[in-house]
Amino acid sequence: MDHSATTPVAPEVLDAMVPYFNIKYGNASSLHSFGREAREALEESRVTVAGVLKAKPDEIIFTSGGTESDNLAIKGIAHRYQDKGKHIITTSIEHPAVLEVCRALTKAGFQVTYLPVNKEGLVELSSLESAIRDDTILISVMHANNEIGTIQPIDEIGKLAKEKDIFFHTDAVQSVGKIPTDVDKMGVDLLSLSAHKLYGPKGIGALYVRTGTRLQNIIQGGGHEKNLRSGTENVPGAVGLATAAKMAAESIDDEAKRLTRLRDWLAKAILDNIKEAWINGSMEKRLPGNLNFSFRYVEGESLLLFLDSKGIAASTGSACSSKKLEPSHVLRSLGLKPEECHGSLRIAMGRSNNQGQVEYVANAIQEAVARFRAMSPLGQK
Ligand SMILES: *Cc1c(COP(=O)(O)O)cnc(C)c1O
């Protein structure tokens, strides 16, 4: 129930990768046959990843993952186009890999506008429109949110960005493989993705860079990946990413339907049986497997530990922020009070989950909430 934090590597993905660790281990930049064999696998992987995004192969840059892709996109545009302007627009609910990069750029003299979201967790086009300035060089809005699963109106934002001649980046780490991601329909110039969120290995991802979009590199060296990302190519990783992305794309409609059914069943089971509970974020514009509950008078951390003792892995907020014990910036942006954020629970279903498990989880959550409320002075009303 925590597939938004990471996913297991699919057996087919592992099988495809293994030869590139030992038998076909060449350096993709070597000119001999071992190198050429590795290069071929790398370029084939690029074609596959491009196909999934409806992009061209030479628009795909392999990186070490979602965090690096976000860094390269945002710093890359900021430093390359700072003579045009130093204003960036993003949202208040982005992943730290975007928010912290923007924060760092602020120290380097850039100005950042953080768009609010409405109660549904969605960016309003009107607020974006009024945030755009003459010196805006980049808009970065995530496709699907990692905590509440809300899906932003990327196509419309893309149209607006194009009209105003502003580069548009989307962090699509949570959406690739779960919902369709077509770079032309979305109107994006840059798109980040990561393999380990879609049943691929950790430590590999990609950045889509639309032809004509120039970036300042952030890792210098031997000039790999069109000089945008130096370092000996991670061939097994690229093969793993490509295999995982292709598999996810092949089953995307069926899996989305299946997960939506499980999601809606669990949502109803919880809301019908537990009082003073609600779901954060829009139910319509939402990832198939995501639910984010709030339970009044209950601590999210206690809930998690109880579920863990029942063999259920879930999360409060995102895996990245849950150690900080600060209320989630995403839930705060929805207008929740700090104490309401603490009683939240993220359920992120994926390939391995089925109806039997969802019923088990529904029972466990009911038991946990009843128990913690019985112990809480406020919960006994
Ligand atoms: C996981 C995640 C990232 C970071 O990706 P890594 O590959 O783990 O660095 C970035 N953005 C979102 C929305 C994520 O969910």
Side-chain angles (χ1 to χ4, degrees):
M1 298 286 147
D2 201 16
H3 287 78
S4 285
T6 196
T7 55
V9 172
E12 296 88 340
V13 171
L14 186 60
D15 286 348
M17 291 173 71
V18 166
Y20 295 94
F21 284 106
N22 47 20
I23 304 165
K24 310 180 181 183
Y25 64 88
N27 183 322
S29 299
S30 298
L31 293 178
H32 49 63
S33 65
F34 297 97
R36 291 201 306 273
E37 187 176 48
R39 168 62 55 186
E40 216 164 277
L42 186 72
E43 297 312 322
E44 259 173 41
S45 302
R46 205 184 303 281
V47 170
T48 304
V49 173
V52 169
L53 302 178
K54 309 277 193 303
K56 297 192 221 63
D58 71 351
E59 295 176 317
I60 304 298
I61 303 297
F62 289 116
T63 66
S64 68
T67 300
E68 187 187 324
S69 295
D70 286 342
N71 270 264
L72 177 57
I74 299 168
K75 288 182 196 162
I77 290 287
H79 290 131
R80 186 70 173 66
Y81 291 96
Q82 55 185 321
D83 292 342
K84 251 186 88 183
K86 293 189 107 178
H87 181 236
I88 294 168
I89 299 172
T90 186
T91 80
S92 57
I93 62 163
E94 297 296 311
H95 188 275
V98 168
L99 288 179
E100 293 302 319
V101 173
C102 289
R103 200 155 300 158
L105 284 172
T106 310
K107 288 192 188 128
F110 288 85
Q111 288 178 329
V112 181
T113 301
Y114 299 90
L115 299 175
V117 291
N118 61 22
K119 270 193 252 150
E120 298 274 275
L122 300 169
V123 171
E124 308 241 353
L125 232 45
S126 55
S127 73
L128 171 61
E129 243 174 320
S130 52
I132 292 175
R133 313 193 317 209
D134 289 341
D135 62 343
T136 307
I137 51 171
L138 176 68
I139 297 169
S140 180
V141 177
M142 72 199 315
H143 192 194
N145 183 268
N146 46 302
E147 292 186 35
I148 55 175
T150 49
I151 300 167
Q152 301 301 333
I154 293 297
D155 307 11
E156 289 154 53
I157 297 172
K159 266 191 213 113
L160 189 59
K162 191 162 192 185
E163 262 170 45
K164 305 274 181 182
D165 201 20
I166 300 167
F167 290 111
F168 179 31
H169 166 249
T170 191
D171 175 337
V173 173
Q174 288 291 343
S175 60
V176 174
K178 299 193 185 106
I179 53 172
T181 40
D182 176 325
V183 290
D184 287 336
K185 272 204 200 120
M186 295 164 83
V188 293
D189 300 302
L190 300 139
L191 178 147
S192 304
L193 65 106
S194 174
H196 79 97
K197 302 280 173 76
L198 54 115
Y199 308 91
K202 293 169 182 66
I204 181 90
L207 180 66
Y208 158 78
V209 185
R210 185 176 292 279
T211 306
T213 305
R214 314 291 292 272
L215 297 177
Q216 169 71 54
N217 60 20
I218 52 175
I219 297 179
Q220 289 91 32
H224 309 77
E225 298 293 298
K226 302 196 343 193
N227 201 26
L228 283 177
R229 206 287 180 172
S230 285
T232 301
E233 296 92 342
N234 178 356
V235 178
V239 168
L241 167 58
T243 311
K246 186 163 169 245
M247 281 178 64
E250 279 163 4
S251 62
I252 197 164
D253 292 340
D254 291 344
E255 185 63 356
K257 273 194 207 115
R258 193 184 73 86
L259 289 176
T260 302
R261 264 200 306 275
L262 293 181
R263 179 194 77 186
D264 292 348
W265 188 93
L266 182 59
K268 183 166 166 20
I270 296 297
L271 297 184
D272 282 356
N273 292 298
I274 304 180
K275 278 185 226 140
E276 304 216 53
W278 66 90
I279 293 170
N280 297 303
S282 163
M283 276 309 279
E284 284 78 48
K285 307 269 182 230
R286 189 182 200 97
L287 285 178
N290 174 288
L291 286 170
N292 187 301
F293 293 106
S294 282
F295 302 103
R296 224 182 273 284
Y297 319 123
V298 175
E299 280 286 324
E301 280 74 26
S302 320
L303 204 50
L304 272 197
L305 293 177
F306 180 90
L307 294 178
D308 188 33
S309 76
K310 300 264 173 189
I312 300 165
S315 151
T316 61
S318 74
C320 308
S321 61
S322 51
K323 266 191 251 145
K324 290 190 214 150
L325 284 177
E326 280 164 17
S328 147
H329 68 282
V330 176
L331 297 182
R332 291 287 282 147
S333 297
L334 297 184
L336 266 65
K337 302 194 191 86
E339 63 273 20
E340 292 174 329
C341 301
H342 282 305
S344 77
L345 178 73
R346 179 184 74 179
I347 296 287
M349 289 174 274
R351 229 173 252 174
S352 65
N353 298 132
N354 57 39
Q355 178 66 25
Q357 290 180 340
V358 169
E359 288 172 19
Y360 177 73
V361 169
N363 288 329
I365 293 174
Q366 283 178 61
E367 189 187 336
V369 171
R371 179 185 295 199
F372 293 127
R373 282 186 179 166
M375 285 164 21
S376 146
L378 289 168
Q380 285 169 21
K381 287 190 301 174

